[in-house]
Amino acid sequence: KLATALQNTIDSIRIATNTRGISACVMFPGKETWKGVSGFSYDGVLLTPEMEFGIASNTKLFTGVLLLKLAEHKLIHLDDALYKWLPPFQNIDSNITIRQLLNHTSGLADVNNIAGYPDSVLSNPNRIFTPAEVMTWVGPPLFAAGTGWDYSNTNYLLAGMIAESATGRTYGQLLRDSILSPLKLDSSFLDVYERISVPIAHPWQGGIDKNSTPRKALNSISWAAGGMYSTSGEMAQWYHALMNGHVLLPDSFDEMTRFVGSGNYGIGLFETKISGRTVWYHGGSIWGGYNSTMMYDRNSGVVICVLINQNPGQAFQLAKELLSVILSYTLVKSENHEQGS
């Protein structure tokens, strides 16, 4: 009954919002898992659970966890200043710490918000930008480090650069060897720098299929802040492993879930209240176009992942609706049990 209700939910919301396609996964405590898809990759081709989507800013949790693991191995310290690992860049205070990058208290301007950003990307979509090149675009800081909070992709690009500087290895190699391979996330990958031979759901922007537009420029700029692809099933598996203590040591997990600022942000995670329940989550949206949300309900241990191959999309709202369906079902089941039904 619950599986049917979850499938009906993604079907009805897809139709009501004229969404191209949805891939969703719910993982329950005890490792019971529901997977559902609705809609199309492109005309005439239905989505399948195995299809890959860009997860956009949900990449940030992987980057944050990677930096925490490097700290566990004493390769870096979260209070290290940028000058210890990186050369100076204009408009970037070298005294900013790694922790301030990861919890978005650095005050750095977001490279995604600068004038001309879309034109630079789209003028040569096959161009591969280096992170150092992207750093030259950063505008004046929004505030002094540690005095405020503002979400900025710049922070996680710098974090990826620090990981490479501290280890002498590429961010993609570190991601694969430290997280993806140990957790058997075999369908998850960093675009541009590696490719897995699996079907990719066509991305749609404003009702137009953008699959024919190369994404090298876009995803090389996004990189450690938003360049990954995966499936809804593997993203639920990732959240389940992380939240159940299979990835980080307890002190690192506490650091990740120390929420600060107006965004209530930890490291790669937001905290919010939904229906009076504490939820940890992150969203992602990228031009041309994918939209995603991963969500963990602390009360029940349920993990919800929603991937949409369309931008703009309503992944967060759909994840909330799926949680509501789960809670309603759980309540009814509990009441029936108490009544001896």
Side-chain angles (χ1 to χ4, degrees):
K1 289 181 180 179
L2 178 56
T4 299
L6 294 172
Q7 184 64 51
N8 288 343
T9 299
I10 66 172
D11 288 337
S12 61
I13 290 180
R14 180 185 65 81
I15 294 169
T17 58
N18 196 30
T19 297
R20 179 60 54 170
I22 298 167
S23 178
C25 183
V26 177
M27 184 171 285
F28 299 88
K31 299 186 178 179
E32 293 179 278
T33 302
W34 169 83
K35 295 179 182 179
V37 292
S38 182
F40 296 84
S41 171
Y42 57 95
D43 292 347
V45 177
L46 292 168
L47 285 180
T48 68
E50 294 73 32
M51 284 186 177
E52 302 272 342
F53 291 66
I55 65 170
S57 285
N58 276 293
T59 302
K60 290 182 176 67
L61 183 57
F62 285 93
T63 302
V65 169
L66 176 60
L67 270 290
L68 287 168
K69 290 180 76 67
L70 293 180
E72 288 178 355
H73 289 92
K74 311 300 183 185
L75 295 174
I76 63 168
H77 192 284
L78 294 188
D79 290 320
D80 287 347
L82 298 192
Y83 65 75
K84 181 173 181 178
W85 299 110
L86 299 177
F89 295 102
Q90 185 176 2
N91 293 321
I92 296 178
D93 180 0
S94 290
N95 291 302
I96 290 170
T97 67
I98 295 174
R99 180 181 279 105
Q100 289 169 335
L101 294 179
L102 297 178
N103 65 18
H104 293 302
T105 60
S106 70
L108 294 176
D110 193 336
V111 291
N112 287 19
N113 294 336
I114 64 169
Y117 170 82
D119 294 335
S120 297
V121 175
L122 297 175
S123 62
N124 186 356
N126 277 306
R127 179 176 175 180
I128 297 177
F129 291 86
T130 66
E133 183 179 7
V134 176
M135 287 305 104
T136 65
W137 303 352
V138 178
L142 306 180
F143 50 82
T147 65
W149 185 91
D150 197 77
Y151 185 92
S152 175
N153 287 282
T154 307
N155 291 323
Y156 276 74
L157 296 175
L158 287 165
M161 295 170 70
I162 289 170
E164 292 192 334
S165 177
T167 63
R169 304 178 67 202
T170 70
Y171 169 77
Q173 289 171 335
L174 291 168
L175 194 64
R176 177 66 52 192
D177 293 343
S178 299
I179 300 175
L180 301 182
S181 291
L183 294 179
K184 295 182 171 55
L185 301 177
D186 301 325
S187 295
S188 304
F189 67 95
L190 180 68
D191 193 37
V192 180
Y193 306 96
E194 62 176 353
R195 191 62 181 261
I196 305 297
S197 297
V198 292
I200 306 291
H202 281 209
W204 292 73
Q205 180 79 33
I208 299 173
D209 187 344
K210 293 293 183 179
N211 193 63
S212 62
T213 302
R215 302 181 70 82
K216 289 182 179 179
L218 181 68
N219 288 334
S220 63
I221 291 171
S222 301
W223 193 52
M228 289 182 66
Y229 281 65
S230 191
T231 65
S232 59
E234 286 206 352
M235 287 300 91
Q237 180 184 339
W238 156 237
Y239 257 59
H240 182 269
L242 180 60
M243 301 307 172
N244 285 277
H246 303 313
V247 180
L248 291 173
L249 296 176
D251 286 349
S252 297
F253 190 87
D254 290 344
E255 188 74 54
M256 183 184 74
T257 54
R258 189 174 298 157
F259 299 96
V260 302
S262 58
N264 218 21
Y265 199 89
I267 292 179
L269 284 174
F270 290 94
E271 182 177 72
T272 192
K273 291 283 188 180
I274 297 176
S275 300
R277 306 169 75 85
T278 300
V279 170
W280 295 342
Y281 78 99
H282 209 290
S285 183
I286 194 165
W287 185 91
Y290 295 104
N291 185 246
S292 64
T293 288
M294 318 319 178
M295 184 178 290
Y296 173 70
D297 174 34
R298 289 199 66 197
N299 301 70
S300 65
V302 167
V303 172
I304 300 171
C305 173
V306 176
L307 305 179
I308 294 175
N309 63 329
Q310 173 181 308
N311 199 21
Q314 298 293 323
F316 181 72
Q317 293 302 321
L318 180 49
K320 286 176 60 178
E321 189 63 29
L322 291 175
L323 179 59
S324 177
V325 170
I326 293 163
L327 297 180
S328 297
Y329 175 85
T330 303
L331 178 62
V332 170
K333 185 176 181 181
S334 175
E335 289 175 347
N336 288 341
H337 178 73
E338 290 173 0
Q339 295 166 4
S341 300

PDB file of all heavy atoms in Angstrom, residues 61-63 65-66 69 174-185 238 247:
ATOM      1  N   LEU A  61      28.065  17.711  -0.370  1.00  0.00           N
ATOM      2  CA  LEU A  61      28.196  16.812   0.781  1.00  0.00           C
ATOM      3  C   LEU A  61      29.361  15.850   0.569  1.00  0.00           C
ATOM      4  O   LEU A  61      30.095  15.540   1.516  1.00  0.00           O
ATOM      5  CB  LEU A  61      26.897  16.040   1.001  1.00  0.00           C
ATOM      6  CG  LEU A  61      26.874  15.108   2.216  1.00  0.00           C
ATOM      7  CD1 LEU A  61      27.171  15.866   3.506  1.00  0.00           C
ATOM      8  CD2 LEU A  61      25.530  14.395   2.324  1.00  0.00           C
ATOM      9  N   PHE A  62      29.549  15.372  -0.650  1.00  0.00           N
ATOM     10  CA  PHE A  62      30.701  14.512  -0.936  1.00  0.00           C
ATOM     11  C   PHE A  62      32.004  15.263  -0.677  1.00  0.00           C
ATOM     12  O   PHE A  62      32.943  14.725  -0.068  1.00  0.00           O
ATOM     13  CB  PHE A  62      30.663  14.039  -2.394  1.00  0.00           C
ATOM     14  CG  PHE A  62      29.652  12.968  -2.669  1.00  0.00           C
ATOM     15  CD1 PHE A  62      28.376  13.288  -3.110  1.00  0.00           C
ATOM     16  CD2 PHE A  62      29.967  11.635  -2.487  1.00  0.00           C
ATOM     17  CE1 PHE A  62      27.438  12.298  -3.367  1.00  0.00           C
ATOM     18  CE2 PHE A  62      29.046  10.631  -2.737  1.00  0.00           C
ATOM     19  CZ  PHE A  62      27.772  10.966  -3.179  1.00  0.00           C
ATOM     20  N   THR A  63      32.077  16.509  -1.130  1.00  0.00           N
ATOM     21  CA  THR A  63      33.291  17.302  -0.928  1.00  0.00           C
ATOM     22  C   THR A  63      33.535  17.552   0.552  1.00  0.00           C
ATOM     23  O   THR A  63      34.668  17.415   1.039  1.00  0.00           O
ATOM     24  CB  THR A  63      33.183  18.634  -1.684  1.00  0.00           C
ATOM     25  OG1 THR A  63      32.978  18.371  -3.079  1.00  0.00           O
ATOM     26  CG2 THR A  63      34.438  19.468  -1.514  1.00  0.00           C
ATOM     27  N   VAL A  65      32.514  15.768   3.128  1.00  0.00           N
ATOM     28  CA  VAL A  65      32.909  14.517   3.773  1.00  0.00           C
ATOM     29  C   VAL A  65      34.354  14.160   3.416  1.00  0.00           C
ATOM     30  O   VAL A  65      35.124  13.687   4.262  1.00  0.00           O
ATOM     31  CB  VAL A  65      31.944  13.379   3.390  1.00  0.00           C
ATOM     32  CG1 VAL A  65      32.487  12.021   3.831  1.00  0.00           C
ATOM     33  CG2 VAL A  65      30.574  13.621   4.023  1.00  0.00           C
ATOM     34  N   LEU A  66      34.739  14.410   2.169  1.00  0.00           N
ATOM     35  CA  LEU A  66      36.122  14.146   1.758  1.00  0.00           C
ATOM     36  C   LEU A  66      37.099  14.972   2.587  1.00  0.00           C
ATOM     37  O   LEU A  66      38.115  14.448   3.079  1.00  0.00           O
ATOM     38  CB  LEU A  66      36.287  14.468   0.270  1.00  0.00           C
ATOM     39  CG  LEU A  66      37.702  14.344  -0.293  1.00  0.00           C
ATOM     40  CD1 LEU A  66      38.231  12.922  -0.133  1.00  0.00           C
ATOM     41  CD2 LEU A  66      37.721  14.759  -1.764  1.00  0.00           C
ATOM     42  N   LYS A  69      37.347  13.548   6.050  1.00  0.00           N
ATOM     43  CA  LYS A  69      38.166  12.335   6.082  1.00  0.00           C
ATOM     44  C   LYS A  69      39.654  12.672   5.991  1.00  0.00           C
ATOM     45  O   LYS A  69      40.486  12.015   6.623  1.00  0.00           O
ATOM     46  CB  LYS A  69      37.737  11.388   4.948  1.00  0.00           C
ATOM     47  CG  LYS A  69      36.354  10.776   5.177  1.00  0.00           C
ATOM     48  CD  LYS A  69      35.946   9.854   4.049  1.00  0.00           C
ATOM     49  CE  LYS A  69      36.661   8.519   4.115  1.00  0.00           C
ATOM     50  NZ  LYS A  69      36.260   7.730   5.293  1.00  0.00           N
ATOM     51  N   LEU A 174      40.426  11.177  -5.457  1.00  0.00           N
ATOM     52  CA  LEU A 174      40.143  11.129  -4.024  1.00  0.00           C
ATOM     53  C   LEU A 174      38.692  10.737  -3.768  1.00  0.00           C
ATOM     54  O   LEU A 174      38.402   9.927  -2.885  1.00  0.00           O
ATOM     55  CB  LEU A 174      40.432  12.498  -3.394  1.00  0.00           C
ATOM     56  CG  LEU A 174      41.895  12.922  -3.338  1.00  0.00           C
ATOM     57  CD1 LEU A 174      42.018  14.392  -2.972  1.00  0.00           C
ATOM     58  CD2 LEU A 174      42.662  12.059  -2.337  1.00  0.00           C
ATOM     59  N   LEU A 175      37.803  11.298  -4.556  1.00  0.00           N
ATOM     60  CA  LEU A 175      36.381  10.985  -4.422  1.00  0.00           C
ATOM     61  C   LEU A 175      36.125   9.503  -4.679  1.00  0.00           C
ATOM     62  O   LEU A 175      35.425   8.826  -3.919  1.00  0.00           O
ATOM     63  CB  LEU A 175      35.604  11.837  -5.423  1.00  0.00           C
ATOM     64  CG  LEU A 175      34.092  11.943  -5.276  1.00  0.00           C
ATOM     65  CD1 LEU A 175      33.726  12.624  -3.971  1.00  0.00           C
ATOM     66  CD2 LEU A 175      33.527  12.722  -6.468  1.00  0.00           C
ATOM     67  N   ARG A 176      36.732   8.993  -5.733  1.00  0.00           N
ATOM     68  CA  ARG A 176      36.535   7.589  -6.096  1.00  0.00           C
ATOM     69  C   ARG A 176      37.118   6.658  -5.036  1.00  0.00           C
ATOM     70  O   ARG A 176      36.461   5.714  -4.586  1.00  0.00           O
ATOM     71  CB  ARG A 176      37.201   7.336  -7.463  1.00  0.00           C
ATOM     72  CG  ARG A 176      37.168   5.910  -7.967  1.00  0.00           C
ATOM     73  CD  ARG A 176      35.790   5.409  -8.279  1.00  0.00           C
ATOM     74  NE  ARG A 176      35.030   6.291  -9.156  1.00  0.00           N
ATOM     75  CZ  ARG A 176      33.734   6.163  -9.377  1.00  0.00           C
ATOM     76  NH1 ARG A 176      33.040   5.208  -8.773  1.00  0.00           N
ATOM     77  NH2 ARG A 176      33.112   6.999 -10.177  1.00  0.00           N
ATOM     78  N   ASP A 177      38.342   6.927  -4.620  1.00  0.00           N
ATOM     79  CA  ASP A 177      39.035   6.004  -3.726  1.00  0.00           C
ATOM     80  C   ASP A 177      38.569   6.106  -2.268  1.00  0.00           C
ATOM     81  O   ASP A 177      38.572   5.109  -1.539  1.00  0.00           O
ATOM     82  CB  ASP A 177      40.546   6.249  -3.779  1.00  0.00           C
ATOM     83  CG  ASP A 177      41.136   5.896  -5.135  1.00  0.00           C
ATOM     84  OD1 ASP A 177      40.466   5.185  -5.906  1.00  0.00           O
ATOM     85  OD2 ASP A 177      42.260   6.358  -5.432  1.00  0.00           O
ATOM     86  N   SER A 178      38.157   7.314  -1.840  1.00  0.00           N
ATOM     87  CA  SER A 178      37.810   7.520  -0.432  1.00  0.00           C
ATOM     88  C   SER A 178      36.340   7.266  -0.125  1.00  0.00           C
ATOM     89  O   SER A 178      35.996   6.888   1.005  1.00  0.00           O
ATOM     90  CB  SER A 178      38.152   8.957  -0.008  1.00  0.00           C
ATOM     91  OG  SER A 178      39.531   9.204  -0.150  1.00  0.00           O
ATOM     92  N   ILE A 179      35.461   7.472  -1.125  1.00  0.00           N
ATOM     93  CA  ILE A 179      34.022   7.385  -0.852  1.00  0.00           C
ATOM     94  C   ILE A 179      33.303   6.449  -1.808  1.00  0.00           C
ATOM     95  O   ILE A 179      32.641   5.491  -1.383  1.00  0.00           O
ATOM     96  CB  ILE A 179      33.372   8.788  -0.908  1.00  0.00           C
ATOM     97  CG1 ILE A 179      34.000   9.716   0.136  1.00  0.00           C
ATOM     98  CG2 ILE A 179      31.860   8.679  -0.701  1.00  0.00           C
ATOM     99  CD1 ILE A 179      33.512  11.151   0.075  1.00  0.00           C
ATOM    100  N   LEU A 180      33.416   6.702  -3.108  1.00  0.00           N
ATOM    101  CA  LEU A 180      32.580   5.980  -4.072  1.00  0.00           C
ATOM    102  C   LEU A 180      32.892   4.487  -4.114  1.00  0.00           C
ATOM    103  O   LEU A 180      31.974   3.654  -4.041  1.00  0.00           O
ATOM    104  CB  LEU A 180      32.732   6.600  -5.467  1.00  0.00           C
ATOM    105  CG  LEU A 180      32.351   8.082  -5.583  1.00  0.00           C
ATOM    106  CD1 LEU A 180      32.509   8.563  -7.017  1.00  0.00           C
ATOM    107  CD2 LEU A 180      30.927   8.327  -5.096  1.00  0.00           C
ATOM    108  N   SER A 181      34.162   4.127  -4.217  1.00  0.00           N
ATOM    109  CA  SER A 181      34.508   2.703  -4.300  1.00  0.00           C
ATOM    110  C   SER A 181      34.237   1.958  -2.997  1.00  0.00           C
ATOM    111  O   SER A 181      33.637   0.875  -3.022  1.00  0.00           O
ATOM    112  CB  SER A 181      35.972   2.539  -4.719  1.00  0.00           C
ATOM    113  OG  SER A 181      36.147   2.946  -6.060  1.00  0.00           O
ATOM    114  N   PRO A 182      34.641   2.489  -1.827  1.00  0.00           N
ATOM    115  CA  PRO A 182      34.341   1.768  -0.581  1.00  0.00           C
ATOM    116  C   PRO A 182      32.851   1.528  -0.356  1.00  0.00           C
ATOM    117  O   PRO A 182      32.469   0.503   0.210  1.00  0.00           O
ATOM    118  CB  PRO A 182      34.929   2.683   0.501  1.00  0.00           C
ATOM    119  CG  PRO A 182      36.012   3.441  -0.182  1.00  0.00           C
ATOM    120  CD  PRO A 182      35.517   3.658  -1.575  1.00  0.00           C
ATOM    121  N   LEU A 183      32.010   2.458  -0.792  1.00  0.00           N
ATOM    122  CA  LEU A 183      30.570   2.313  -0.593  1.00  0.00           C
ATOM    123  C   LEU A 183      29.882   1.632  -1.777  1.00  0.00           C
ATOM    124  O   LEU A 183      28.659   1.486  -1.791  1.00  0.00           O
ATOM    125  CB  LEU A 183      29.923   3.683  -0.349  1.00  0.00           C
ATOM    126  CG  LEU A 183      30.326   4.387   0.943  1.00  0.00           C
ATOM    127  CD1 LEU A 183      29.646   5.743   1.043  1.00  0.00           C
ATOM    128  CD2 LEU A 183      29.989   3.534   2.162  1.00  0.00           C
ATOM    129  N   LYS A 184      30.697   1.235  -2.766  1.00  0.00           N
ATOM    130  CA  LYS A 184      30.165   0.566  -3.967  1.00  0.00           C
ATOM    131  C   LYS A 184      29.119   1.426  -4.679  1.00  0.00           C
ATOM    132  O   LYS A 184      28.110   0.928  -5.174  1.00  0.00           O
ATOM    133  CB  LYS A 184      29.587  -0.810  -3.617  1.00  0.00           C
ATOM    134  CG  LYS A 184      30.634  -1.802  -3.110  1.00  0.00           C
ATOM    135  CD  LYS A 184      30.030  -3.164  -2.829  1.00  0.00           C
ATOM    136  CE  LYS A 184      31.111  -4.202  -2.535  1.00  0.00           C
ATOM    137  NZ  LYS A 184      32.028  -3.814  -1.445  1.00  0.00           N
ATOM    138  N   LEU A 185      29.413   2.725  -4.736  1.00  0.00           N
ATOM    139  CA  LEU A 185      28.572   3.647  -5.503  1.00  0.00           C
ATOM    140  C   LEU A 185      29.100   3.667  -6.937  1.00  0.00           C
ATOM    141  O   LEU A 185      29.684   4.640  -7.417  1.00  0.00           O
ATOM    142  CB  LEU A 185      28.605   5.043  -4.865  1.00  0.00           C
ATOM    143  CG  LEU A 185      28.128   5.107  -3.410  1.00  0.00           C
ATOM    144  CD1 LEU A 185      28.279   6.515  -2.853  1.00  0.00           C
ATOM    145  CD2 LEU A 185      26.678   4.639  -3.288  1.00  0.00           C
ATOM    146  N   TRP A 238      23.934   6.343  -0.280  1.00  0.00           N
ATOM    147  CA  TRP A 238      24.969   7.238   0.239  1.00  0.00           C
ATOM    148  C   TRP A 238      24.518   7.891   1.549  1.00  0.00           C
ATOM    149  O   TRP A 238      25.220   7.865   2.552  1.00  0.00           O
ATOM    150  CB  TRP A 238      25.294   8.278  -0.818  1.00  0.00           C
ATOM    151  CG  TRP A 238      25.882   9.590  -0.413  1.00  0.00           C
ATOM    152  CD1 TRP A 238      25.371  10.825  -0.678  1.00  0.00           C
ATOM    153  CD2 TRP A 238      27.138   9.830   0.265  1.00  0.00           C
ATOM    154  NE1 TRP A 238      26.190  11.808  -0.202  1.00  0.00           N
ATOM    155  CE2 TRP A 238      27.281  11.227   0.384  1.00  0.00           C
ATOM    156  CE3 TRP A 238      28.125   9.000   0.798  1.00  0.00           C
ATOM    157  CZ2 TRP A 238      28.375  11.818   1.006  1.00  0.00           C
ATOM    158  CZ3 TRP A 238      29.223   9.586   1.421  1.00  0.00           C
ATOM    159  CH2 TRP A 238      29.342  10.975   1.517  1.00  0.00           C
ATOM    160  N   VAL A 247      30.693   5.997   7.432  1.00  0.00           N
ATOM    161  CA  VAL A 247      31.611   6.781   6.601  1.00  0.00           C
ATOM    162  C   VAL A 247      32.574   7.602   7.448  1.00  0.00           C
ATOM    163  O   VAL A 247      33.778   7.601   7.209  1.00  0.00           O
ATOM    164  CB  VAL A 247      30.826   7.703   5.644  1.00  0.00           C
ATOM    165  CG1 VAL A 247      31.794   8.515   4.780  1.00  0.00           C
ATOM    166  CG2 VAL A 247      29.872   6.901   4.760  1.00  0.00           C
TER     167      VAL A 247
END
